Amino acid sequence: MSMRKLFKNVICVVALLALSATAGFADNLVTNPGFETGDLTGWQVFGLGGSSAVTVVADNGPSGAGTHCAFMDNRAEALGLTLKQSLTPGMAIAGTVAYSFDIKLGQAALGGVFFVQIFAEKEGVGIVGSSGLLGNYAPAGWTTVTGSFMAPLGTDFLTIQFMANTGANVGSKSTMYVDNVNLDQGTTVVSTEATSWGNIKSLYR
Ligand SMILES: [Ca+2]
């Protein structure tokens, strides 16, 4: 490699690393984590029906300032109602994932349960790791749940899902308030640096 080309490469690397450092990561990787847009922007809902809904209501969990939270309202028999957010691939890396969320029970009756699960995923592959199934939760008042798990090698995004599930009983209910959802891998540029290095190599091969 000529000195000139080497110099050009070094400049590219420095420029890309500077970009990475600027982009960085917010501490919380979740979009609209406190539902303060007043709607479900950033979130997906599965299991909607005539007797099941997820809405944004005027209440707020203790972990963050605000005036809104999500309300999962499942009054259908034997139904899984899920509120879910998947990060964009590239937003997560292998390593510790710290999580926290605020929940407050509405009603749990006749087999109604509430679980949370966080997945470490790899684009094009699927689930490579998990927090394990968290719950059953039924906190009478606002409660903040915190914990962490290790995302294995290959992880490039995370998914968190809240599941208000009912039993096969007439009158089964699972309703829960959810707020201030936090997924945090620390402020890091490791992932974007790795991507940048890959790009650099491919450019000069
Ligand atoms: Ca909120």
Side-chain angles (χ1 to χ4, degrees), residues 158-173:
L158 303 170
T159 293
I160 184 166
Q161 60 184 29
F162 298 90
M163 295 164 281
N165 298 342
T166 50
N169 304 302
V170 175
S172 183
K173 290 175 192 168

Side-chain angles (χ1 to χ4, degrees), residues 33-36 59-61 64-70 178-180:
F35 305 95
E36 294 305 318
D59 197 345
N60 197 65
T67 52
H68 296 84
C69 70
V178 178
D179 204 2
N180 300 316

